[in-house]
Amino acid sequence: MNQTMKKEELALAIIKRLKQQYPDAGCTLDYNEAWKLLVSVRLAAQCTDARVNVVVEGLYKKFPDVDALAEAKVEDIEAIVKPCGLGHRKARDISACMKILKEQYGGKVPEQFDQLLKLPGVGRKSANLIMGDVFGKPAIVTDTHCIRLTNRMGLVDGIREPKKVEMALWKIIPAKEGSDFCHRLVYHGREICTARTRPYCHKCCLEDICAKNGLED
């Protein structure tokens, strides 16, 4: 990376190139209603999005709406979502969450960030995803790809705590770009800047501007 390039300039350059590389990047969790994204993002903890997308088909077939899930027994939910791991905990959170949606929000997902954070099993990452994808509001989703890539690229400096990464990125990423930028980081993290293998820097559209922090020369 050009050492004279400021983080704000670097961020804009990265955003521009990732847009060209992944023009149609979006959320990789399948959903057609806000509450379904809420369910899927809870199931996605320590589980692949691909597996979640398969599991929720069976879940929604048996419990097709908020009311049905709110009234379902936790063990019945758990029996379906078990393949996603942490089955009991996730089933318990989904049940409690759907009950709150039914009783307090008329079956709708609340549109305020602070209200989302109060829902069982919903942290900042999940709340930001919903704010950005469902409601079109500014959002920065600090998942594992975001944290890994922004550190490597030099947008943040050795920060691993999700909230601190989020706060650092808010300072340099334009609000209207945050949500799509994070989706593109997921695609880039899976295809090029990988975690389990050595990154494919020779194929990366950012090779000449990336700081490559934490990587061997």
Side-chain angles (χ1 to χ4, degrees), residues 113 124-133 138-141 166 170:
F113 189 80
R124 297 189 65 86
K125 181 181 74 172
S126 301
N128 269 296
L129 180 65
I130 291 165
M131 291 297 290
D133 276 48
I140 290 179
V141 182
E166 179 191 335
W170 277 119

Side-chain angles (χ1 to χ4, degrees), residues 80-216:
I80 299 173
V81 305
K82 190 175 181 179
C84 294
L86 304 174
H88 182 70
R89 188 183 307 172
K90 292 178 179 180
R92 181 190 62 200
D93 286 345
I94 289 169
S95 175
C97 189
M98 294 301 111
K99 282 181 169 64
I100 291 173
L101 294 191
K102 178 183 177 181
E103 295 168 4
Q104 298 184 22
Y105 297 105
K108 304 294 184 181
V109 175
E111 298 186 27
Q112 300 299 318
F113 189 80
D114 289 344
Q115 292 175 326
L116 288 170
L117 285 181
K118 293 178 181 178
L119 296 175
V122 176
R124 297 189 65 86
K125 181 181 74 172
S126 301
N128 269 296
L129 180 65
I130 291 165
M131 291 297 290
D133 276 48
V134 174
F135 301 121
K137 303 288 182 65
I140 290 179
V141 182
T142 49
D143 61 8
T144 56
H145 293 292
C146 176
I147 295 170
R148 182 177 76 257
L149 269 63
T150 54
N151 272 281
R152 285 179 177 174
M153 293 170 178
L155 294 178
V156 299
D157 300 315
I159 307 173
R160 300 296 175 184
E161 184 181 326
K163 184 177 180 180
K164 289 183 179 179
V165 172
E166 179 191 335
M167 294 302 111
L169 291 177
W170 277 119
K171 297 177 181 178
I172 60 174
I173 303 294
K176 65 179 181 179
E177 300 287 357
S179 181
D180 288 341
F181 171 66
C182 292
H183 285 320
R184 292 186 174 101
L185 290 180
V186 172
Y187 281 71
H188 198 63
R190 290 175 178 173
E191 296 180 13
I192 304 295
C193 199
T194 52
R196 296 185 180 181
T197 65
R198 184 168 178 79
Y200 303 100
C201 295
H202 64 288
K203 297 193 294 184
C204 181
C205 62
L206 308 173
E207 184 178 15
D208 60 318
I209 59 174
C210 176
K212 301 177 184 176
N213 288 326
L215 299 178
E216 298 177 1

Side-chain angles (χ1 to χ4, degrees), residues 6 16 20 40 49 51 55 80 126 142 161 173 212:
K6 296 180 180 179
K16 181 178 180 180
Q20 295 172 339
S40 288
D49 290 357
R51 176 170 290 183
V55 169
I80 299 173
S126 301
T142 49
E161 184 181 326
I173 303 294
K212 301 177 184 176

